Amino acid sequence: MATQSMAQCSRDAMLVFDGSASMAELGFGASGPSRIEEARTAVAEVMPQVAPVRRIGLLTYGPGAADSCRGIQVKFTPRADADRAVIAEVKALRPAGLTPLTDAVREAAEVLDYRTTPGIIVLVTDGSETCSGAPCRLGQQLASTGRDLTVHIIGFRLVFDPFSWNSIEAFQAAAAEVQCLADQTGGSYVTTETVDELADALRRTLGCAVVG
């Protein structure tokens, strides 16, 4: 068990972080913190714990381009002791735009050279694909052409946006598509509602628990 766990730690990871406009919305109650503020709190808690045991890179989507579906930015590729860099970039993120999560995960896979090198992608999102991507199909492609790529998806206070979806049923179907992306690659799909739950999910997907 210990040997297997340490082998998993040797795989580089890309954190794909949602910077879409909905992340700026307030939490529970008009005076509560926004999603992005709560997510920053979770990231600041977890990164110093996981960065010493795994090389981590960061990709964000949302702001940064005139076309709101093309705001995908590789902030940096996997590096050792990336905690301060991840925390700083997430702190600087100003949410805007839509949710091109399929293209974002595809770009993260390319950064990891997934066809020849094992890797991990952890996607944090507060919604489903809103840029016409096909998450489940991407999962099938990554599984069939990759060497050993695992995609974990963490939903953080998933939001139904009536301007993006005609019905709650359509939103639920899109959420199932996102879960399929994780399932196809052997990853986990978990929904979280609080800072503590988000932190725990990040810790479990990016960390490296050694069982002796």
Side-chain angles (χ1 to χ4, degrees):
M1 291 288 290
T3 302
Q4 183 180 10
S5 296
M6 289 304 293
Q8 292 294 309
C9 270
S10 68
R11 292 199 290 169
D12 285 353
M14 284 294 293
L15 175 61
V16 178
F17 198 88
D18 188 343
S20 63
S22 56
M23 286 291 285
E25 294 177 0
L26 296 179
F28 304 107
S31 62
S34 64
R35 286 185 184 83
I36 188 65
E37 290 172 330
E38 292 187 318
R40 287 170 182 151
T41 299
V43 166
E45 175 184 336
V46 173
M47 284 302 124
Q49 300 169 1
V50 299
V53 298
R54 191 185 303 281
R55 285 162 41 96
I56 300 172
L58 177 67
L59 179 150
T60 64
Y61 63 79
D67 182 346
S68 58
C69 282
R70 298 184 62 85
I72 298 172
Q73 301 182 49
V74 177
K75 296 298 185 179
F76 52 86
T77 59
R79 63 173 69 165
D81 299 315
D83 50 324
R84 291 185 180 180
V86 172
I87 292 169
E89 290 289 354
V90 172
K91 183 178 181 180
L93 192 60
R94 298 295 177 262
L98 298 177
T99 308
L101 66 82
T102 303
D103 286 343
V105 170
R106 180 182 291 110
E107 180 66 21
E110 293 292 348
V111 170
L112 290 170
D113 194 17
Y114 78 100
R115 295 177 185 85
T116 60
T117 306
I120 295 170
I121 295 174
V122 176
L123 165 65
V124 176
T125 180
D126 75 343
S128 298
E129 171 71 47
T130 59
C131 291
S132 301
C136 190
R137 186 183 309 163
L138 174 62
Q140 294 168 349
Q141 294 172 351
L142 296 177
S144 63
T145 60
R147 179 177 177 184
D148 185 10
L149 179 70
T150 304
V151 181
H152 300 291
I153 298 174
I154 304 171
F156 180 50
R157 293 208 281 111
L158 296 174
V159 59
F160 168 67
D161 182 357
F163 295 101
S164 299
W165 304 100
N166 295 327
S167 67
I168 188 64
E169 290 78 13
F171 173 76
Q172 290 170 340
E177 269 275 309
V178 176
Q179 181 172 352
C180 177
L181 169 56
D183 292 343
Q184 290 289 334
T185 61
S188 59
Y189 176 86
V190 60
T191 58
T192 60
E193 294 293 331
T194 67
V195 171
D196 287 344
E197 290 175 352
L198 176 57
D200 183 61
L202 286 168
R203 196 176 291 113
R204 286 187 286 110
T205 53
L206 286 173
C208 184
V210 177
V211 180

